[in-house]
Amino acid sequence: MSIAAQPVAEDDGPLSPWWLRTILIVMVLGFAGLITITRLAYRNAPPIPAQVVDVQGRGVFSGEDVLDGQTVFLRYGLMANGSIWGHGAYLGPDYSAEALHRMGERSADAIAQRQYQQPFAALAKPQQAAVRGEAMASLKTNRYDAASGTLQFTAPQAAAFREEITHWTGYFHDPSRNGGLKADLITDPAELRQFSAFVTWAAWASVAARPGEAYSYTNNFPYDPSVGNLPTSGALLWSALSLTVLLAGIATVLLAFGKFDYLGWITRGHQVRPQMLPGHSSKGQNALVKFFVVVALLLLGQSLVGGAVAHYRADPGSFYGFQLERIFPSNLLRTWHLQLAIFWIATAYVAAALFLGRSLRIGEPRWLAGWTHLLFGAFALVIGGSLLGEWLGIAQLLGAWWFWLGNQGWEYLELGRVWQYLLVAGLLAWFVLLWTLVRPRALASTAAVPIVRMFLVAALAIPVFYIPALLFGARTNYTVVDTWRFWIIHLWVEGFFEFFATTVVALTFYQLGLSRRNVALRVIYLDAILYFLGGLIGTGHHWYFTGQSNFSMAMSAMFSVLEVVPLTLLTLDAWDFVRTTRGQRDAAGTRIAIPHKWTFYFLMAVGFWNFVGAGMLGFLLNLPIVSYYEVGTLLTPAHGHAALMGVFGMLAIALMVFVLRQTSDDARWPGIEKYIKVAFWGTNGGLAMMVALSLFPGGVLQVWDVLEHGYWHARGMEYIGSERSHLIEWLRMPGDVVFIVFGAVPLVIAAVKGYLGVRAVEIK
């Protein structure tokens, strides 16, 4: 994040109090808006009727069936296979979109038979248009009676529900036709009926008009012209207006920056006096190196699992002749792929924070090494236990304990509830450890106190803002769950994790002597202002079509577009980082080596992928009108891989490289550095190949199919299983191989060599 540096003489004086005041104002207003939208989610969520009846008043299914069906959906890990209202995985279909389309086809056929005594397909075009119009009007009519809690289905809708049971029975039978699920995953007739009730309810909410409005509970998502689901006027209007907000935001920030003489992370014109020297690490810091061995191993595991998940899209019927789904079905591997990403990135941040915290002290407390070992054990327990629990849960081996010890089933929050409690407890213990380590009276210099305070605030936010993950259960209304779920996925990860990452990088630069205190502080303050300005209310761009109202769409679109503003400013830092990695020259003209060259290279990768993944691709998907057609297509993982791996992943690797260099002397470092060099080009090259050769072109073609045939078709197995789709998936393999072989594996070797080197020194 670019920041204005004042003249050197002013860089150690007090900063204007309006920095903190502005942050406070932004956060108060932002949370007020976010909490308002969250409260409205409870009021505006699609109702779950107590009873669904047909025109004769006979029961079709009940609200309990819907909630039991949602439980089936979660217990069998189906959100890691397909999606509801566009949210979930991409190995299977969007269940709600498919059910809605079949409901529409059944309605059209019934009307055609009643009026013309012929099936719909046999009618002439004018007759088909008339039948379609009547079917649309019938489906859009909301027959829910809030007073009695009864929803009346038309005869075709009731018949469509019964046909759903047969359809999903066949779907769960064959792994080659469902994206690699275990064969005959669900065979119990009661569970199949409950699951069908859940997806039929989701389909009804997708098309029935919200009371008092002309659009459905999901703002007419998914796109399906055959049932009358077209983009709302709000999706067009708020998309257009958000572009004007974006331009105004960029202009305002650049205008404010114009009064400063210099922009950048690095303080120019002063002598560098690093507080940390490579090869001079303490016992407590050395104890943290083993965390990064785990980081590298988890990254390798995530990469291998991700390659297997991609193979399920390329060739779901066979894993090179082996029926992999019998042991590792695709929904399990997809769950592990997401959880491993969170674990290795979070582990790197936690360990790096303690490493930096120790560097700020005068001396090392005797308890640091011991507590570091205990924290390592706690992380190992949560990581290993939750991954094993997810395997056992999806395999249906935990019985009634599936939610608590196994796989909750909610995307990104799959780990069982017990593991979530332990994770929060572990993160709180980490914060206490960090606070004890860097409390003001223990610091080597009081000048660092303002930076440390922001560092601790950001650290405390990590366990605190994970707590919303504990606020819902398996039977909570899907809209309400998705609201809280993105408090974690967006607000926790993209908001407070990013804020914490900024403080870590700023503190690192300060300790290396590259940034004076106030330069580092301005980085933190400005990032907080800009990220939270768009990122708090902007969390709602995930809620456009998940059962919230047009108000949520309007607020979210207008604010989420501001998230791009700080990302456009990353380009202002690029040349400073290049210049820093090239080093300086002494009086004789000899180039001075930079000990943390590769740390800076990975930080440059953070800036690049932040701009491409979160800025370019993220901005594209944030617009409501684009999201309406795109959500749940391959453009989503194109953005996700580039942003999450590129931003948080590259920063985690940068921190790992930083710690490995700090704990290695000049004699041992060249043996580690050669692997770091390969890993830099391997991770970045592999990621670029994944996005450019497969994910992005595949996403563009899939969105084109949405526009041509409807969302149900582009997300259906007919499209996903086509030869063209399989070819695009195979084109991902070169990128996966490069990332794994030349990226993840060298990082494992480098981390192990760094750890063995530290152990060898301690033994001596």
Side-chain angles (χ1 to χ4, degrees), residues 261-274:
D261 297 326
Y262 176 74
L263 304 175
W265 275 89
I266 314 299
T267 300
R268 302 287 299 280
H270 83 293
Q271 186 176 357
V272 175
R273 295 187 178 89

Side-chain angles (χ1 to χ4, degrees), residues 22-288:
T22 304
I23 293 174
L24 184 61
I25 292 170
V26 167
M27 295 193 71
V28 168
L29 294 178
F31 272 111
L34 184 62
I35 292 171
T36 298
I37 294 173
T38 302
R39 290 184 61 189
L40 288 174
Y42 285 85
R43 180 192 305 175
N44 297 325
I48 298 176
Q51 189 69 30
V52 179
V53 300
D54 62 16
V55 291
Q56 284 79 34
R58 295 172 301 200
V60 179
F61 57 84
S62 67
E64 286 299 307
D65 291 330
V66 173
L67 295 175
D68 288 340
Q70 180 173 289
T71 301
V72 171
F73 170 71
L74 298 172
R75 188 169 71 247
Y76 285 94
L78 295 178
M79 201 174 188
N81 172 255
S83 60
I84 295 290
W85 300 334
H87 288 183
Y90 324 106
L91 296 159
D94 184 275
Y95 307 112
S96 52
E98 278 209 356
L100 173 61
H101 187 75
R102 282 190 292 271
M103 186 183 290
E105 293 298 295
R106 191 70 177 83
S107 297
D109 271 330
I111 294 170
Q113 287 289 352
R114 186 181 73 245
Q115 293 186 355
Y116 301 102
Q117 293 75 51
Q118 295 185 71
F120 177 80
L123 299 179
K125 294 295 184 183
Q127 295 172 327
Q128 287 186 343
V131 168
R132 281 290 186 203
E134 185 173 342
M136 291 177 193
S138 176
L139 292 169
K140 287 291 181 184
T141 301
N142 191 338
R143 300 177 179 84
Y144 173 66
D145 180 15
S148 64
T150 300
L151 169 63
Q152 185 185 78
F153 267 8
T154 63
Q157 286 177 311
F161 164 70
R162 292 188 290 271
E163 292 169 359
E164 286 299 298
I165 300 174
T166 302
H167 173 81
W168 296 116
T169 300
Y171 176 80
F172 294 126
H173 170 68
D174 185 2
S176 66
R177 296 297 301 164
N178 60 29
L181 294 173
K182 184 180 179 181
D184 293 318
L185 178 66
I186 306 177
T187 57
D188 186 323
E191 291 183 331
L192 288 165
R193 184 179 182 279
Q194 291 163 352
F195 176 76
S196 298
F198 171 59
V199 298
T200 300
W201 167 80
W204 166 79
S206 300
V207 71
R210 183 183 288 275
E213 304 291 352
Y215 50 81
S216 73
Y217 290 101
T218 59
N219 289 312
N220 282 355
F221 181 86
Y223 172 64
D224 189 344
S226 69
V227 299
N229 266 12
L230 301 170
T232 65
S233 56
L236 292 165
L237 177 63
W238 303 124
S239 296
L241 291 180
S242 68
L243 295 177
T244 65
V245 173
L246 171 65
L247 293 175
I250 293 176
T252 300
V253 171
L254 292 179
L255 180 64
F257 275 25
K259 72 175 184 178
F260 295 110
D261 297 326
Y262 176 74
L263 304 175
W265 275 89
I266 314 299
T267 300
R268 302 287 299 280
H270 83 293
Q271 186 176 357
V272 175
R273 295 187 178 89
Q275 306 298 314
M276 298 184 293
L277 296 174
H280 294 77
S281 54
S282 68
K283 182 179 179 181
Q285 289 176 317
N286 290 341
L288 290 164

Side-chain angles (χ1 to χ4, degrees), residues 506-714:
L507 188 58
T508 301
F509 276 52
Y510 175 75
Q511 287 296 90
L512 291 176
L514 297 170
S515 293
R516 295 180 70 90
R517 186 198 66 185
N518 284 359
V519 171
L521 271 178
R522 292 189 190 97
V523 169
I524 296 170
Y525 292 157
L526 190 60
D527 265 11
I529 293 168
L530 293 179
Y531 280 121
F532 293 139
L533 180 64
L536 293 179
I537 298 177
T539 302
H541 73 254
H542 299 283
W543 302 329
Y544 292 152
F545 312 112
T546 60
Q548 299 220 27
S549 67
N550 190 54
F551 173 78
S552 173
M553 179 187 291
M555 293 286 289
S556 304
M558 301 297 280
F559 279 90
S560 68
V561 74
L562 293 175
E563 294 178 274
V564 182
V565 173
L567 303 180
T568 61
L569 302 176
L570 290 168
T571 55
L572 298 175
D573 297 323
W575 187 248
D576 275 341
F577 281 102
V578 172
R579 184 186 295 110
T580 302
T581 57
R582 291 180 176 178
Q584 301 174 345
R585 295 181 183 273
D586 59 19
T590 304
R591 189 174 298 279
I592 303 172
I594 299 297
H596 290 289
K597 169 184 175 181
W598 292 105
T599 298
F600 282 103
Y601 275 148
F602 278 105
L603 288 176
M604 285 192 287
V606 170
F608 174 81
W609 289 111
N610 208 347
F611 183 74
V612 173
M616 294 169 58
L617 295 177
F619 167 69
L620 173 66
L621 311 189
N622 276 9
L623 296 177
I625 192 60
V626 177
S627 181
Y628 180 74
Y629 299 104
E630 175 282 328
V631 62
T633 68
L634 281 179
L635 279 182
T636 299
H639 154 66
H641 280 73
L644 184 64
M645 175 61 217
V647 179
F648 297 102
M650 291 299 173
L651 177 56
I653 297 172
L655 294 173
M656 180 174 75
V657 173
F658 171 76
V659 171
L660 291 178
R661 181 63 186 100
Q662 284 296 123
T663 54
S664 302
D665 58 29
D666 292 340
R668 286 187 287 112
W669 177 243
I672 299 173
E673 183 182 27
K674 61 183 180 182
Y675 294 102
I676 299 296
K677 179 180 180 179
V678 174
F680 173 80
W681 296 110
T683 52
N684 284 280
L687 181 59
M689 292 170 69
M690 284 184 223
V691 174
L693 296 180
S694 180
L695 293 174
F696 183 75
V700 171
L701 291 173
Q702 195 171 16
V703 172
W704 183 265
D705 194 79
V706 172
L707 295 167
E708 290 285 301
H709 302 106
Y711 189 79
W712 69 275
H713 184 270

Side-chain angles (χ1 to χ4, degrees), residues 360-363 436-445:
L360 293 163
R361 289 181 61 102
I362 300 173
T436 307
L437 195 62
V438 299
R439 62 188 188 277
R441 64 184 181 184
L443 297 179
S445 171

